[in-house]
Amino acid sequence: MPDEQDKSQQTEEATPKKLEDARKKGQVPTSKEPSTAIAFLVLAGLGVTGIGAWCAGRMMQLMRHYLGASPAELRADAPGMQTLAASLGLDMAGIMLPLVLPMLVFGVLATFIISGPVFSFEPLKPKLEKINPLAGIKRLFSTKGLAEFVKSLLKLVLVSIACGAVLRDLLPAVIASGHVGVREIAALAAGGSMRVAALCALVFFFLAIGDVLYQRWEHAKGLRMSKKEVKDEYKETEGDPQLKSKIRQIQQEQARSRMMADVPKADVIVTNPTHIAVALAYRPEEGGAPRVLAKGRGKVAGKIREIAREHRVPIRENKPLARSLYKSVKVGDEIPAELYEAVAVILAEIFRLRGARQGG
């Protein structure tokens, strides 16, 4: 029951991270049917390409060569048998290579297209569940096991129908084969085999398409996640949203504290007058334009005015200028050129009053 409940809770599609983790473990959708279809297709293509005739001719030559060899050429001692085995193996490899190589190349290509590039030793690691009889029985009667049984049964029925159709068409020729020579019988057998291979290739082609789609669906279903798993993975990769919010709040408070510490260094505070406050400083000896040391609205603006009063920093009301400075200038940046004139008027007054006090 717990397993069923867990499965019922897995309603979310697998995240990219889980798909990538599964791929690293070698868990990808795979199907054997495309390779089988390719094998039958290669066999069916032997007659069309002429490779089949070449293989048959080469096989006949080998049979004549080895069966017609003299006793002197075929020594019965150990070195002679080793030489014979090596020679026969090389000759057979030369015949089978045109058959096996296309199957191997196209089979690997089909697997690559279906599963993509996968390189993992994880499936090779020994696991106790693989040799556990109870787990084996459970897999046998699982949905996947049932699907494999139905697929095997379907292949048996379809291949039997294909073979039966070919044999039915060839039945008159088979009955009459008792009155023909060996070459005609061989040609009849080869032609029938090619037709069976062609039909099987067609059958397995459609089976491969269906099996690939099923395997991908089964793979995606097996990797589904519960909402809790998705949330936990997000916390693991992106961080806990509450923790991130707390860190952001602390960072904002630290930045605000540093900003407030710069208010006493300002030459003037431009206000809205109550909603917005912007602290400006101008250092002619450093060059450049006046710079915003602090800004804020609401309670922050009130705190800036409070600190300014404590340190006797002049406060000037200018609603349009305060709004423009607050919206367009970041803390620590110089004011833009279009605000030079308005700020210069205020700073000129501040510096004039400051000079008058110092002169007095």
Side-chain angles (χ1 to χ4, degrees):
M1 288 297 293
D3 292 341
E4 293 179 0
Q5 292 176 357
D6 292 341
K7 288 292 183 182
S8 65
Q9 293 174 1
Q10 294 174 344
T11 57
E12 307 300 313
E13 296 295 328
T15 61
K17 181 180 182 300
K18 183 161 186 179
L19 291 174
E20 183 62 26
D21 291 343
R23 176 171 290 275
K24 290 178 180 178
K25 295 178 181 178
Q27 298 176 4
V28 293
T30 57
S31 175
K32 301 176 182 178
E33 307 311 323
S35 300
T36 307
I38 289 171
F40 278 110
L41 185 62
V42 170
L43 292 175
L46 294 179
V48 178
T49 59
I51 297 177
W54 177 84
C55 291
R58 182 63 181 150
M59 187 69 72
M60 293 293 294
Q61 292 176 5
L62 289 181
M63 292 178 66
R64 290 193 189 99
H65 172 72
Y66 287 104
L67 294 178
S70 63
E73 295 176 330
L74 299 178
R75 295 182 300 167
D77 55 359
M81 290 296 100
Q82 292 176 359
T83 303
L84 176 63
S87 177
L88 183 60
L90 290 174
D91 290 334
M92 291 302 297
I95 295 174
M96 298 304 296
L97 192 61
L99 305 180
V100 176
L101 191 59
M103 294 181 187
L104 181 62
V105 172
F106 287 113
V108 171
L109 184 61
T111 303
F112 182 83
I113 293 174
I114 296 169
S115 304
V118 180
F119 185 78
S120 174
F121 292 104
E122 189 71 22
L124 301 178
K125 292 181 179 179
K127 295 181 180 179
L128 293 178
E129 60 183 21
K130 292 183 178 180
I131 59 175
N132 186 355
L134 295 178
I137 295 174
K138 186 177 180 181
R139 285 194 300 269
L140 185 62
F141 291 97
S142 64
T143 305
K144 188 174 183 179
L146 179 61
E148 290 295 326
F149 172 75
V150 172
K151 184 174 66 176
S152 300
L153 186 61
L154 183 62
K155 287 192 290 186
L156 178 62
V157 171
L158 293 176
V159 171
S160 300
I161 293 174
C163 293
V166 173
L167 290 176
R168 183 185 60 188
D169 293 340
L170 296 178
L171 186 60
V174 172
I175 294 174
S177 62
H179 306 287
V180 298
V182 177
R183 288 183 177 274
E184 288 77 6
I185 295 175
L188 178 64
S193 299
M194 294 301 103
R195 291 177 62 181
V196 169
L199 285 176
C200 288
L202 185 63
V203 168
F204 277 94
F205 174 76
F206 290 105
L207 280 175
I209 294 177
D211 190 58
V212 168
L213 295 176
Y214 170 76
Q215 294 297 338
R216 288 186 174 180
W217 174 81
E218 182 72 21
H219 179 71
K221 179 184 175 184
L223 292 179
R224 282 179 185 171
M225 307 168 67
S226 64
K227 293 182 178 180
K228 183 178 182 302
E229 288 175 331
V230 174
K231 189 180 297 184
D232 291 342
E233 182 185 290
Y234 177 80
K235 288 182 180 179
E236 180 182 347
T237 55
E238 302 295 334
D240 190 341
Q242 295 181 351
L243 180 59
K244 291 178 69 176
S245 176
K246 185 65 176 179
I247 293 174
R248 194 181 304 114
Q249 181 181 353
I250 293 173
Q251 290 173 341
Q252 291 175 350
E253 290 177 355
Q254 291 175 344
R256 191 177 298 118
S257 298
R258 290 193 297 268
M259 184 180 70
M260 292 301 180
D262 289 336
V263 173
K265 304 174 185 177
D267 293 311
V268 66
I269 308 297
V270 182
T271 64
N272 193 20
T274 56
H275 297 337
I276 296 175
V278 181
L280 295 174
Y282 180 52
R283 303 292 182 265
E285 66 277 6
E286 297 178 0
R291 193 179 300 274
V292 173
L293 297 184
K295 69 175 184 178
R297 64 187 307 162
K299 293 182 179 180
V300 177
K303 186 65 176 178
I304 291 175
R305 292 194 302 271
E306 180 183 341
I307 296 174
R309 293 190 189 98
E310 292 176 0
H311 294 82
R312 298 184 178 182
V313 178
I315 301 176
R316 294 293 183 269
E317 177 183 341
N318 189 323
K319 295 181 180 179
L321 179 60
R323 291 195 192 100
S324 299
L325 288 170
Y326 182 81
K327 291 180 179 179
S328 61
V329 187
K330 295 181 180 180
V331 175
D333 290 351
E334 296 181 352
I335 65 172
E338 59 267 20
L339 299 180
Y340 282 177
E341 185 177 353
V343 172
V345 171
I346 295 177
L347 288 176
E349 177 195 355
I350 298 299
F351 290 154
R352 181 174 56 80
L353 293 174
R354 186 181 300 170
R357 283 198 301 270
Q358 291 175 353

